[in-house]
Amino acid sequence: MSGSTRTMRAAAIDAFGPAEALTVRDLPLPSAGTGEVLVRVRTAGVQPTDAAIRAGWTPPGATIGFPQILGNEFAGIVAEVGPGAVGFAVGDEVAGYRVLGCYAEYVNVPAEQVVHKPAGVSWLTAGALSASGQTAHTALERLGAVEGETLLVHGAAGGVGSMAVQLAVARGVRVVGTTAPVNHEYVRSLGAVPVEYGSGQLRRIRAAAPQGVDAALDTAGHGNLRTAVELVEDRNRIGTVVDIGLTRELGCLWINSNRSAARLRELLDLCDRGELAVTIRATHPLDEAYKAHLDVETGHGRGKNALVISTDDDAVTGVPPAGGRTP
Ligand SMILES: NC(=O)c1ccc[n+]([C@@H]2O[C@H](COP(=O)([O-])OP(=O)(O)OC[C@H]3O[C@@H](n4cnc5c(N)ncnc54)[C@H](OP(=O)(O)O)[C@@H]3O)[C@@H](O)[C@H]2O)c1
């Protein structure tokens, strides 16, 4: 079978541009290379990072080549196992991550970036968990919030914020989360005390945390680190995943997601036990991936956007024949 004649549907860009630059077309279907598995993608999460790449940003160490398929997290079913890839068989249900390439019917990925999906975790949860979940998990590790302490999360309703709140609350940490009023009930349901962001937020946070704030995570930018440094004494316990410029000025931590299969496995297990949930604010078919980018680029909203790329109705096992296309 010739790999070059197999095609799949994928959402890609031919040049950097606005959300509408992301269009669906037939592209060559990859094979599972050495140490890789090929996954038939069921769902893929969408995040601001994907939109930033679409608009012209290149992640450190990555190379953008047009047409470029976007997307950095997925869940699906193993369709091929490459030479030397251990621990997986065709038909296994998995979740995983890559820097690019996940908004597609198939993705090839090193086996060490894939873990088995617990049967009790939904496809939507598994496909939209890795990016935000691993970022929040990394951030809590760096900030070291422990039971009995108080953590401030700027942007508590968003993809990363929703994960950070739940992971911290599960460890016995009190969380104060800034959010728009429309999301207060939602953030409260995650276990945090919601506080409206914007003018006067410092006073409101102090009122919500009279015991003081031990650590702070900024997932929103907008200069929120300036509020955090008024509240947290130790700048090594203030981190941002957004505002690298202000970290230099204020001496706070810049936090990059440190993704690993072990971290993803732990997050999936928490979901399986009902101790962590991914809020999906909207789902989109692959053909409308650009709509997910338009939504993400509002900079507001609860949890995640996700693409539903294949379902139980797409009765595909393995890969399509040479010259054929996936249904
Ligand atoms: N460094 C890394 O490794 C890494 C990894 C993943 C993501 N990121 C970055 O982290 C950021 C957050 O990602 P995300 O997926 O969580 O985005 P998101 O889902 O869009 O969430 C952003 C949140 O920010 C809130 N917000 C908007 N304006 C605000 C303001 N002035 N003050 C406080 N909060 C405000 C919004 O809350 P309301 O809806 O309540 O307005 C929204 O929920 C993005 O910039 C992303 O690129 C970095």
Side-chain angles (χ1 to χ4, degrees), residues 5-301:
T5 55
R6 302 184 305 180
T7 63
M8 65 174 183
R9 302 282 285 164
I13 53 171
D14 296 308
F16 298 121
E20 291 77 6
L22 184 60
T23 58
V24 174
R25 76 287 299 277
D26 289 348
L27 286 173
L29 194 156
S31 301
T34 300
E36 291 183 337
V37 293
L38 180 73
V39 176
R40 165 76 162 153
V41 178
R42 296 286 294 250
T43 56
V46 177
Q47 38 269 320
T49 308
D50 303 342
I53 294 170
R54 191 211 69 233
W57 178 71
T58 299
T63 304
I64 307 293
F66 301 118
Q68 179 63 62
I69 304 171
L70 302 181
N72 71 17
E73 61 185 353
F74 65 88
I77 298 173
V78 173
E80 266 181 12
V81 179
V86 291
F88 296 97
V90 171
D92 285 358
E93 298 186 350
V94 296
Y97 57 93
R98 260 183 61 141
V99 178
L100 295 156
C102 304
Y103 299 173
E105 288 176 326
Y106 290 86
V107 64
N108 60 318
V109 58
E112 60 267 22
Q113 292 174 205
V114 176
V115 299
H116 286 99
K117 180 184 83 64
V121 175
S122 74
W123 286 112
L124 279 173
T125 293
L129 174 65
S130 176
S132 310
Q134 299 219 49
T135 303
H137 195 277
T138 303
L140 293 186
E141 198 172 83
R142 294 281 307 279
L143 296 172
V146 295
E147 187 170 357
E149 289 192 321
T150 299
L151 172 74
L152 167 65
V153 177
H154 287 293
V160 178
S162 293
M163 291 284 119
V165 169
Q166 293 176 78
L167 291 171
V169 167
R171 294 172 190 189
V173 175
R174 285 187 294 259
V175 182
V176 174
T178 66
T179 176
V182 69
N183 293 324
H184 279 201
E185 272 317 306
Y186 167 68
V187 166
R188 191 173 284 117
S189 77
L190 299 179
V193 177
V195 169
E196 182 178 1
Y197 57 69
S199 173
Q201 68 176 3
L202 178 60
R203 179 180 42 78
R204 290 191 290 277
I205 295 165
R206 282 200 170 115
Q211 70 281 5
V213 178
D214 301 291
L217 171 62
D218 168 35
T219 74
H222 300 283
N224 276 300
L225 280 179
R226 295 194 190 282
T227 300
V229 298
E230 296 293 324
L231 292 157
V232 179
E233 204 169 318
D234 182 354
R235 303 229 169 165
N236 284 317
R237 302 201 68 196
I238 304 172
T240 178
V241 295
V242 188
D243 207 338
I244 196 167
L246 262 191
T247 60
R248 295 194 192 102
E249 180 190 326
L250 299 175
C252 305
L253 300 180
W254 168 246
I255 298 172
N256 253 331
S257 184
N258 184 11
R259 297 199 284 185
S260 71
R263 210 183 285 281
L264 180 55
R265 155 66 50 214
E266 186 180 334
L267 293 164
L268 282 164
D269 287 345
L270 287 170
C271 292
D272 196 30
R273 294 201 299 270
E275 295 168 21
L276 180 69
V278 179
T279 300
I280 303 292
R281 72 177 185 242
T283 62
H284 312 265
L286 184 61
D287 282 333
E288 296 181 355
Y290 75 97
K291 288 188 178 174
H293 277 222
L294 288 172
D295 188 56
V296 158
E297 288 183 315
T298 66
H300 299 279

